[in-house]
Each structure stands twice: as structure tokens, then as C-alpha cells.
Amino acid sequence: MISNSNKETDIIRKVAGNFARHPSQVNQLMEADAEIIWRNGEYLVLKTDGIHEEIKTKLYEDPYLIGWMAVTAPISDIAAVGAVPEGILLSLQMSLHENEDWLKQIQAGINDACLHYHSYVLGGDTNFSDSVSISTTAVAHIKAGRPLLRTGMKPGERLYATSLLGTGNAFAYSRFFNQALDVQFRPVARLVESRVLRTYATSCIDTSDGLFPALAVLSELNNVGFHLETPLLKLLSEDAGSVHRQEGLPDWMLLAGPHGEYELLFTVAGEKQNEFEKECESEGWNPVYLGKVIALPKLDFITGSLKIQCHRHTIANLFYESNGDILAYLQLLKQQHEKWVANN
Amino acid sequence: MISNSNKETDIIRKVAGNFARHPSQVNQLMEADAEIIWRNGEYLVLKTDGIHEEIKTKLYEDPYLIGWMAVTAPISDIAAVGAVPEGILLSLQMSLHENEDWLKQIQAGINDACLHYHSYVLGGDTNFSDSVSISTTAVAHIKAGRPLLRTGMKPGERLYATSLLGTGNAFAYSRFFNQALDVQFRPVARLVESRVLRTYATSCIDTSDGLFPALAVLSELNNVGFHLETPLLKLLSEDAGSVHRQEGLPDWMLLAGPHGEYELLFTVAGEKQNEFEKECESEGWNPVYLGKVIALPKLDFITGSLKIQCHRHTIANLFYESNGDILAYLQLLKQQHEKWVANN
């Protein structure tokens, strides 16, 4: 089945599409990972992000990880627009039955992440509920230069990620299907890397929802496609590669699921490619080259011995077609793979 | 039973007391209704507030009211510090089973409130869940003058509210115990009134948690007490007065419960009282005089024919002693009233 629209962006348009926009807001709906307002001679950048489903499905159970992610998730969006974070506000729903140690662990996760990102807890709101859930709002600024948007890429430009991918989905697979795999998950928002991107990137998004869902959003917003030249196997992180081998899971599936790795995915103009890569090296990191932006709104990539060309939303929509049922989702991924094998 | 500490502020200290403070944050923990950061030549004001328990307990069921309150609750805190709102970010958890009309109604409530407060939806985050819940972060500024804090009042100063009180608890009583009462509830954040308060008030808090809980917080933070000279009956709004008469509910109970009316409660120095009242009149509104700040950390007031003097936290803590059980809470209120009758 080929879907003609992106299910995730359809939902966002339905829920938020009718609200009036602030006259000084720089980004349109979905056009950036965070909200950007030009005011008082600078860009004020804000982002609200919630950790709800991750807790409900027990993907996140360790309170330290919950605290760490409550800060890292919105700060990753701050990094994706090239802003500098200042602080966060927390809206915490917790159960009255949680013990003192649980509270200490979640506080430690929040505190450690804030320290790491040179940020502070500015305030918040605590409610008691049957279950745990956190929404965080991050506050940031851009004092010089322009914000990075998801839009702006052109055919021919180069597509990169800040690092190898797939750890988020490898972690989710280990939590849901084989806890013996013991994948470590503690992503770091790419604030340091985003400093170079502010000069060189023509567009940027974080992979909090995974690589293929991010590509689907970029493809729709920019009306382009992607030709991934690097075989997907070479894009996998150590943990993702390990799950791929041990579980016999096709590499593309570890880049398909909606639990991403919080890297930045961005484009650079061809003529800036060398200069950009040198600058990264001098800053102590190496971007991962994925391929090129193409004019046709399609997606092609190499998985194992297969060369796949598919509709830009096919992979991203599989999760929505499963209605969030993890087992059904894995089946849909496997069916998709069999179809590709049969057609090749 | 006399409680020696305020249960609500105890919880806030336990959850948030260990986080490092931003070096440019003006307010200490609990010292203001919103978070105030001095930056870039102005005060940036932020507030996160959640509508969770109100939805869970079905106090709020009408989606329009949920949308209206999701905006009004944090904007009321913005008014309490004397700031000007710019926009909000929404973190919405909604059930996949809600129909189109439900979504339209909640959007209408959000839109109407934003229009009323000259604010915009800057962004947000939507998650699907079994139940509905909203957290909102409001963004505001103070470009000239100083922010209003909860602290700063001195014995002898006058205590006022922006209007008559008790509608929030009258609404809650009607929802939980007698729906035939049909109390209307659609509070308006007191932004207009707060413009005068920025000049005259020595401290300010909103009554989102009800009058007595607000007095308990002010009493603790300022280490003072309150002598309410105006009989409580004269402080009741029309709706609250009506519930008081029809249900035979002592007037103080309608000012005790934790569902407030979103008025501002503030203090003015004695020598400024006349000037302040004249200024309000010229602005088209009349503040309601409650009584005086006193040095002793006690609370005294007149309810019916009784003159009550009690510990500053006694009334506010009754709700926490009921563990949020509404029926048990009503019983605790009635027992407290019987004790006072017996002792007078």
C-alpha cells in the first residue's frame, strides 16, 4: 500500500493548523524543530516536547533516563535550529506511589542533563496522577546569525547526519522484543555540532523520530526526494549494527522506527562540502555522509543486496498503519521487506 | 488537628527544591506566580501550568472550557507578576477516540482565549493517550518597571482582591454535588487590572487555588498573618452567594477549596490606599477590600456570626488531608465548621 500523505504531518495540521500565527514568528507550522520569534533584537527560541508514550509503553522505565530525556528531547530541537539553550520549564505528572528514590533518580537525570547543556530548571508544575508523564519547554536564543529551518534544501545538495544512526530503534527493539540485547541509550543533544551547522547547513531536523520519518518530513516540506548513496549498513551505529546481526533484522528497519537517536540530519551545498568537512574535523567530529537531495519526491537506498526505490512516505507511515501496536508494527516492517525482496 | 507546615509548598520544595537556579532568574522558588528572568534589557516571564486533575475528576468536561482554561490558567499567573503575554505553547495529550467536534470545540476555546489576551499559539506537541490532559507554557515580558512578587508585603498593609470571590469553588460544588445549581465558570485572567497593580501593589498572587490556599502561601512566604475585616459573606460572588444560600454551605467553605476564581489577591501600603482606589475607579473597576496584613502569623475572619482565629495553614491543608477525595474533603470542611461552632 502506498500512502499519498504523511500521517504524522496530517495530524499536526489537523490539531494545530487553524491557530493564528504570531506576527513575529519566523517559522511556519512544522517548518522548524522549534518555535522561533524575532523580538528585541534577537531570536527567542522555544520548544515544548513531551515524554508520554515512551513512559506508557515502558520504553523508558528507569527514572534517571526519564529525567535525562525530558531535558534532552527539547534541547535536541533547540540544537536543530542552531540556538543556545538557557533553561527549561517542567510539567511533571507523577504517581503518589513513587518512592523517594524514584524522585531522586528522576531529579538526578534532569540535573545532570541541565549541567551538560549549561541550562537551568526555571520552573514547573507538578500534578499527581495514576501515571508518570513529563512535558518540558526549553527556552533558548540566537543572538547572531540566522536560525536553521527544516526548509531550504535544493536538489544536488549533500545530506549528512551528525553521527551514525539506529541506536534509538535498537534500544526500542531490545526493550520490546529481547531484553538480553542490553542496548545502552543516553543520547546527547548535538549543541556542539550545531555551531558548525549554523554556518554551513541549508536545512536541519533532528532524528528524534528516526531517520526515515525525518526524511519523509523533509521530503514533504521541501518537495524533494533523497538518493542515499551510502549503503544503510554503513550508517548503523555499533549498537544498531549489533542488533541487525544478532537478530537478523534488515538494516533499514533500524532506521525506520519512530524512536530515533537524536542526531541532527542536515544538508550542505555541494560547493561547500569540502570546507564543511574540514571545519568539522577541526572541531573534533566527523559528519556521516548519506547521499544527495534529488528533485523527484522519491526515496532510494541500498539495503543489503537490494536497491530500493519507494514513495517518500511509505516507510514513515507504517507505524501509523499499526496504530501504535508494536508487535503489529514489526510485522508490517517484515511484510514490507518481503515485498521488496520479491520485487527485486 | 493543626498542621505546622503548608502541605502544598512542602511538595513543591521536595520536587523542585534541589535544582540549581538560573543566575539571571529574579524570583526564588515559589516567590512569584511565574518565572522571571532578567535578560537582554527586559524581564522575560514564563509559566508552565497544567490542566490534569480538573479533567480527570470531570470538573472540566466541556472541551471549549478545557481549551479556554488551558490558556487562562497560565495567563492569570502572567497577570499576577504584572507582565504582558505574547504567546503560548501547548502540550496536548488527547484520546484517539475524541471526535471532530470535540477537537473543534477545544480549538475554539484556545483560539477565543488567545484572541482575548492578544496572544498566539506559538507551537506545541500532541500525543495520543487514553485520557485528555494539557500543559501550557505562556511567554510574556515586562519592558518597563518591576515584576510583582508574592513577597514584599508588610504588617499594616491593605489586602485586596480584583473582584468578588468563590465562583471557582461554587462551580466545583455544583459539578460534584448538585448539577442542578448550574454555576457558570469562565474566568478571565486579570491582565487589565494588573496594569494598575504594577504601580501600587507591594505583592500579588492569583487565586487559582482559592482564597484561603493563596493566603496560606502568602502568610508562609512573608511570615505574616491576615486580619480579614470584611465579613466573608460580603466577599462572595453572586454565584458563590447563591450556592451558600441554596445549599446551606458556610460562606468560608466557598473560599477554602482548591479550585479558585483566577482573581488577583494583592497588598497596598496604607498611605497609598486612597490614591490606588481612585486610580482603579478611573480605570473602570473597583477592587474588593478584604482586610489587613498583621505581624502574627495567624488568620482571623468573620463567617456568619462567628469570629474565627486559626492557624494560617489549617484551612489550606484540609484538602491535602482528604488525599484529593472530594467527598472526604467536604466532610472535613463540615467537621472543621462544627468544631468552630462548638468552640465559639
Side-chain angles (χ1 to χ4, degrees):
Chain A
M1 184 172 69
I2 288 178
S3 302
N4 288 319
S5 69
N6 183 303
K7 301 296 176 201
E8 197 198 346
T9 57
D10 285 352
I11 290 171
I12 294 171
R13 283 201 183 86
K14 193 172 152 190
V15 173
N18 292 321
F19 296 125
R21 305 293 289 177
H22 191 290
S24 305
Q25 186 158 2
V26 173
N27 61 301
Q28 292 300 308
L29 191 67
M30 291 183 290
E31 207 191 6
D33 274 18
E35 313 307 333
I36 307 158
I37 302 116
W38 175 256
R39 63 192 291 293
N40 211 5
E42 62 165 22
Y43 295 102
L44 181 69
V45 178
L46 301 158
K47 175 67 182 197
T48 288
D49 209 352
I51 309 268
H52 307 294
E53 284 151 44
E54 294 88 342
I55 297 171
K56 206 181 108 197
T57 59
K58 300 204 174 173
L59 177 57
Y60 300 169
E61 210 167 19
D62 168 18
Y64 183 93
L65 179 64
I66 294 172
W68 178 270
M69 292 309 298
V71 183
T72 294
I75 299 281
S76 175
D77 291 315
I78 295 300
V81 301
V84 178
E86 294 179 42
I88 58 162
L89 292 101
L90 293 166
S91 177
L92 172 64
Q93 288 187 68
M94 60 179 277
S95 163
L96 268 170
H97 309 297
E98 303 296 352
N99 59 31
E100 293 267 333
D101 187 57
W102 184 93
L103 189 60
K104 272 188 189 149
Q105 285 297 312
I106 199 168
Q107 286 170 331
I110 293 166
N111 255 333
D112 287 356
C114 280
L115 266 171
H116 192 96
Y117 304 127
H118 305 293
S119 281
Y120 296 89
V121 177
L122 299 169
D125 178 43
T126 304
N127 277 274
F128 293 95
S129 167
D130 301 333
S131 56
V132 177
S133 152
I134 311 192
S135 285
T136 308
T137 301
V139 187
H141 65 260
I142 300 171
K143 292 206 186 291
R146 71 200 160 94
L148 289 167
L149 301 181
R150 292 171 174 175
T151 53
M153 64 180 63
K154 287 186 189 69
E157 289 184 352
R158 310 321 197 231
L159 181 71
Y160 287 93
T162 40
S163 188
L164 294 168
L165 305 167
T167 300
N169 286 316
F171 175 72
Y173 184 88
S174 78
R175 292 283 302 162
F176 293 135
F177 299 111
N178 185 358
Q179 298 213 7
L181 289 166
D182 192 31
V183 177
Q184 294 306 307
F185 184 67
R186 189 162 304 160
V188 172
R190 295 301 188 188
L191 288 167
V192 173
E193 292 77 359
S194 93
R195 288 202 303 255
V196 181
L197 303 192
R198 283 177 53 194
T199 308
Y200 290 96
T202 56
S203 65
C204 187
I205 190 171
D206 86 342
T207 66
S208 56
D209 294 333
L211 173 66
F212 281 115
L215 289 175
V217 169
L218 291 178
S219 171
E220 187 188 4
L221 290 175
N222 292 281
N223 198 26
V224 296
F226 298 99
H227 170 55
L228 304 189
E229 295 168 0
T230 308
L232 296 190
L233 188 60
K234 292 200 173 170
L235 301 180
L236 293 189
S237 67
E238 199 181 317
D239 276 329
S242 167
V243 169
H244 155 71
R245 285 188 304 275
Q246 289 183 56
E247 301 292 297
L249 217 58
D251 47 23
W252 71 271
M253 290 189 194
L254 287 151
L255 304 169
H259 187 243
E261 52 286 290
Y262 294 86
E263 296 299 336
L264 300 179
L265 185 68
F266 55 96
T267 48
V268 173
E271 64 271 22
K272 296 273 185 181
Q273 189 171 10
N274 286 339
E275 191 185 330
F276 163 68
E277 290 189 3
K278 271 185 202 153
E279 179 84 15
C280 292
E281 207 178 331
S282 79
E283 294 277 327
W285 64 283
N286 293 304
V288 175
Y289 178 75
L290 278 74
K292 288 200 186 77
V293 182
I294 55 175
L296 270 181
K298 292 191 174 272
L299 198 56
D300 61 60
F301 56 90
I302 302 157
T303 171
S305 59
L306 303 177
K307 282 191 173 186
I308 306 293
Q309 189 179 79
C310 68
H311 188 281
R312 55 185 175 173
H313 299 319
T314 302
I315 298 176
N317 281 351
L318 290 174
F319 183 69
Y320 290 89
E321 284 161 23
S322 74
N323 283 319
D325 178 326
I326 304 292
L327 204 59
Y329 177 52
L330 188 63
Q331 291 310 316
L332 284 175
L333 287 169
K334 288 181 175 172
Q335 284 166 22
Q336 182 63 64
H337 191 72
E338 284 157 21
K339 250 186 264 180
W340 282 334
V341 171
N343 291 342
N344 250 261
Chain B
M1 183 171 68
I2 289 180
S3 303
N4 290 318
S5 69
N6 183 304
K7 301 295 175 204
E8 196 198 346
T9 56
D10 285 353
I11 290 170
I12 294 171
R13 283 202 183 87
K14 193 172 152 189
V15 174
N18 292 322
F19 296 126
R21 306 292 288 176
H22 191 291
S24 304
Q25 185 158 5
V26 172
N27 60 299
Q28 291 299 309
L29 190 68
M30 291 184 290
E31 207 191 6
D33 273 19
E35 313 308 333
I36 307 157
I37 301 116
W38 175 255
R39 63 190 290 294
N40 211 7
E42 61 164 23
Y43 295 101
L44 181 69
V45 177
L46 301 157
K47 174 69 183 196
T48 287
D49 210 351
I51 309 269
H52 307 293
E53 285 152 43
E54 294 87 343
I55 297 171
K56 207 181 109 196
T57 58
K58 301 203 174 173
L59 177 57
Y60 300 169
E61 210 167 18
D62 168 19
Y64 183 93
L65 179 64
I66 293 172
W68 178 270
M69 291 309 298
V71 184
T72 294
I75 299 281
S76 175
D77 290 314
I78 295 300
V81 301
V84 179
E86 294 178 43
I88 57 161
L89 292 101
L90 292 166
S91 176
L92 172 64
Q93 288 185 67
M94 60 180 277
S95 165
L96 268 169
H97 311 297
E98 303 297 351
N99 59 29
E100 294 267 334
D101 187 58
W102 185 91
L103 189 60
K104 274 189 188 148
Q105 285 297 312
I106 199 169
Q107 286 169 332
I110 292 166
N111 256 332
D112 287 356
C114 280
L115 266 172
H116 192 97
Y117 305 128
H118 307 291
S119 280
Y120 297 89
V121 177
L122 299 170
D125 177 44
T126 304
N127 278 274
F128 293 95
S129 166
D130 302 332
S131 56
V132 177
S133 150
I134 311 190
S135 284
T136 309
T137 301
V139 186
H141 65 259
I142 300 172
K143 292 207 186 288
R146 72 204 158 93
L148 288 167
L149 301 180
R150 292 171 174 176
T151 52
M153 63 179 64
K154 288 188 187 67
E157 289 184 352
R158 311 318 199 234
L159 179 72
Y160 286 94
T162 39
S163 188
L164 294 168
L165 304 168
T167 299
N169 286 316
F171 175 73
Y173 184 89
S174 77
R175 293 282 302 162
F176 294 134
F177 300 110
N178 186 357
Q179 299 212 6
L181 288 166
D182 193 31
V183 177
Q184 294 306 308
F185 184 69
R186 191 163 303 160
V188 172
R190 296 302 189 188
L191 288 168
V192 174
E193 293 77 359
S194 93
R195 289 203 301 256
V196 181
L197 302 193
R198 282 178 53 194
T199 309
Y200 290 96
T202 56
S203 66
C204 187
I205 190 171
D206 86 341
T207 66
S208 56
D209 294 333
L211 174 66
F212 282 115
L215 289 176
V217 169
L218 291 178
S219 171
E220 186 187 3
L221 290 175
N222 292 281
N223 199 25
V224 297
F226 297 100
H227 170 56
L228 305 189
E229 295 167 0
T230 308
L232 297 190
L233 188 60
K234 293 198 172 173
L235 300 181
L236 293 188
S237 67
E238 201 181 315
D239 275 330
S242 167
V243 169
H244 155 72
R245 284 188 307 276
Q246 289 183 57
E247 301 292 297
L249 217 59
D251 47 24
W252 70 270
M253 289 187 194
L254 287 150
L255 305 168
H259 187 243
E261 51 287 290
Y262 294 87
E263 297 297 337
L264 301 179
L265 185 67
F266 55 96
T267 48
V268 172
E271 64 271 21
K272 296 273 187 181
Q273 187 170 12
N274 286 337
E275 190 184 329
F276 163 68
E277 289 189 2
K278 270 183 201 153
E279 179 84 15
C280 292
E281 210 178 328
S282 78
E283 294 277 327
W285 64 284
N286 293 304
V288 174
Y289 177 75
L290 278 75
K292 289 199 184 79
V293 182
I294 56 175
L296 269 181
K298 291 188 174 276
L299 198 55
D300 61 61
F301 57 90
I302 302 156
T303 171
S305 60
L306 302 178
K307 284 191 172 184
I308 306 295
Q309 188 178 80
C310 68
H311 188 281
R312 55 186 175 172
H313 299 319
T314 302
I315 297 175
N317 282 351
L318 289 175
F319 183 70
Y320 291 88
E321 283 161 24
S322 74
N323 283 319
D325 177 328
I326 305 292
L327 204 60
Y329 176 53
L330 189 63
Q331 291 310 316
L332 284 176
L333 288 169
K334 288 182 173 171
Q335 283 167 21
Q336 182 63 63
H337 191 72
E338 283 158 20
K339 249 187 260 180
W340 282 335
V341 170
N343 291 341
N344 251 261

